Amino acid sequence: MVIQENISLQPFNTFGIPATARYLVRITSQAELEQVIQHPVYRNNRRFILGGGSNVLFTKNFDGLVMKVEIMGKSLVEETTESILVTAGAGEPWHPFVMSCVEQSLGGIENLSLIPGTVGAAPIQNIGAYGVELKQVIAYVDGIDLDAGVSRRFTRDECQFEYRDSVFKHTLKEKFLISSITLRLMKKNHPMVTHYGAIKEVLNEKKIDHPTIRDVSNAVIAIRRSKLPDPTLLGNAGSFFKNPVVDVNLARSIQDKYPSAPVYPIDNQFVKMAAGWLIEQCGWKGKKIGRVGVHDQQALVLVNFGGANGEEIHQLATEIQQSVLQKFGITLMMEVNIL
Ligand code: EPU
């Protein structure tokens, strides 16, 4: 176990922000983590747990200990004729893990193809795309309670999953290090989720009536490639804001004025609106301000065109929030972790 000092975080965040960490330690096993917990640098500094760095914005240097989770490994836990329990180490990159499941025709996460980041970060914000959320397939999450120094397992219910949310973002923030997740995936009779408009379009275009797990995965990959910038080519962290939950009366008044405004029902009192649509209506889509801007295919995505610092992205995000509030009376919440 080596604690490095004054390390650049630029390769470790998909925005490509050149912040540094006062200390950085790579954690490749539970034994290594136990050593870290005993170390004075751990005890005397604030901490940040880093996965793939695809949902974080460093607005300044981090004056503490960054714990980079690199616990690897994939294993089969248990199998029935219908389903299978698979465990993956928190440091495994998410998309290759999805691909290995798709290749084995294991159903459940094909709609979550091509999401950047690591396996261990996935439950924190309950990643979701094209009609599927991780919570639908999670069996349990294992990790270490950093305060008590003991292992703990969270069942799906205990994870308190909501839209882009879980217990790991609240009471357990920086207090619980996820070491692995275990998913229940389907070996047969897997109900494919293809109702999402864009997926239907791709499958229709290809004249696929009975899609396989691989067909759905391929469709999702094609949609993501066409709409979302590749973080290895253009710095970004996917959706920067959450889709807001809005009072049904406010949404109705917006729809009176803009009949095409996308609105998703929740209950009698609230609906969800598309943050990307709101931002686009405020004229931000495709806008470039200095070294930062708003993606031209998906207004929810803020980008670093090269050389930007985190403060510039944060400033842009704040201006977008203000203009959406002014025009629509809706406060957008940032989805990305701001440090
Ligand atoms: N829209 C616009 N303008 C835009 C973007 C979107 O008008 O610039 C409209 C679209 O036309 C559509 C609606 O907004 O009617 C929804 O757009 P889209 O299907 O692209 O999905 P989203 O709600 O913008 C969410 C997730 C994405 C996920 C997609 C697909 C959040 C915050 N974002 O985006 O997740 O890939 O659905 O399921 O929930 C991520 O979290 O990083 C991410 C990319």
Side-chain angles (χ1 to χ4, degrees):
M1 187 269 298
V2 182
I3 297 183
Q4 297 171 283
E5 283 189 57
N6 299 321
I7 294 296
S8 170
L9 295 169
Q10 197 161 22
F12 305 138
N13 74 93
T14 58
F15 262 125
I17 299 296
T20 58
R22 175 84 180 86
Y23 301 104
L24 182 134
V25 66
R26 294 165 187 266
I27 292 166
T28 59
S29 68
Q30 186 142 333
E32 214 160 40
L33 175 61
E34 278 158 20
Q35 282 180 337
V36 173
I37 297 178
Q38 303 301 324
H39 201 283
V41 165
Y42 172 87
R43 290 202 301 268
N44 300 331
N45 285 279
R46 61 193 279 247
R47 276 108 54 174
F48 177 65
I49 303 169
L50 181 66
S54 60
N55 205 41
V56 58
L57 178 66
F58 292 106
T59 58
K60 46 184 170 311
N61 292 335
F62 186 74
D63 190 27
L65 173 66
V66 170
M67 302 163 75
K68 189 166 181 306
V69 183
E70 297 184 354
I71 301 171
M72 310 306 273
K74 289 180 275 203
S75 58
L76 188 166
V77 182
E78 160 192 313
E79 198 169 359
T80 66
T81 46
E82 293 257 309
S83 73
I84 185 166
L85 269 185
V86 207
T87 296
E92 291 284 344
W94 175 259
H95 178 63
F97 170 61
V98 174
M99 287 298 94
S100 69
C101 298
V102 169
E103 271 154 31
Q104 296 170 73
S105 293
L106 299 175
I109 50 175
E110 57 282 359
N111 295 47
L112 307 179
S113 296
L114 212 61
I115 293 184
T118 53
V119 160
I124 299 177
Q125 61 157 335
N126 178 25
I127 58 169
Y130 309 104
V132 172
E133 288 188 350
L134 186 73
K135 71 170 184 190
Q136 291 163 245
V137 290
I138 278 266
Y140 47 85
V141 172
D142 284 303
I144 312 281
D145 178 324
L146 294 174
D147 287 341
V150 294
S151 303
R152 233 193 114 177
R153 173 167 291 180
F154 284 81
T155 61
R156 183 212 312 239
D157 282 353
E158 288 170 334
C159 292
Q160 297 172 27
F161 289 123
E162 300 286 348
Y163 164 65
R164 291 294 195 276
D165 205 20
S166 75
V167 70
F168 309 112
K169 267 189 161 180
H170 298 281
T171 45
L172 295 176
K173 195 174 164 69
E174 308 305 331
K175 291 189 171 145
F176 186 74
L177 188 138
I178 295 170
S179 55
S180 69
I181 72 174
T182 300
L183 309 182
R184 182 167 295 282
L185 301 176
M186 300 304 285
K187 284 167 66 183
K188 55 180 187 183
N189 303 328
H190 170 56
M192 225 70 76
V193 181
T194 55
H195 63 264
Y196 208 91
I199 293 193
K200 267 197 245 167
E201 277 169 33
V202 174
L203 294 175
N204 284 344
E205 259 168 42
K206 293 191 167 172
K207 302 197 166 43
I208 298 174
D209 294 333
H210 302 288
T212 61
I213 290 165
R214 186 183 287 272
D215 291 333
V216 174
S217 170
N218 284 342
V220 167
I221 290 172
I223 300 161
R224 289 189 78 96
R225 288 220 169 107
S226 71
K227 288 214 167 159
L228 298 165
D230 177 348
T232 61
L233 304 175
L234 192 61
N236 77 90
S239 301
F240 198 91
F241 302 96
K242 288 192 201 185
N243 285 333
V245 173
V246 173
D247 187 278
V248 76
N249 294 315
L250 175 57
R252 266 194 210 121
S253 70
I254 293 172
Q255 275 189 312
D256 285 345
K257 210 163 157 202
Y258 305 88
S260 65
V263 167
Y264 314 104
I266 298 180
D267 55 29
N268 289 337
Q269 211 186 337
F270 295 107
V271 295
K272 207 186 277 175
M273 292 197 68
W277 182 88
L278 294 165
I279 296 168
E280 182 174 348
Q281 296 308 309
C282 292
W284 288 103
K285 194 169 184 173
K287 237 188 196 170
K288 187 170 181 220
I289 301 164
R291 303 183 286 194
V292 300
V294 178
H295 190 51
D296 56 3
Q297 299 299 315
Q298 166 55 285
L300 253 187
V301 179
L302 305 191
V303 297
N304 172 8
F305 287 107
N309 61 44
E311 214 19 82
E312 290 166 65
I313 303 267
H314 194 239
Q315 178 62 31
L316 172 64
T318 308
E319 283 173 31
I320 291 172
Q321 272 178 324
Q322 281 162 357
S323 71
V324 169
L325 180 61
Q326 219 164 36
K327 190 173 171 87
F328 292 108
I330 294 172
T331 303
L332 293 184
M333 304 297 287
M334 296 185 195
E335 192 218 84
V336 168
N337 226 328
I338 311 291
L339 281 171

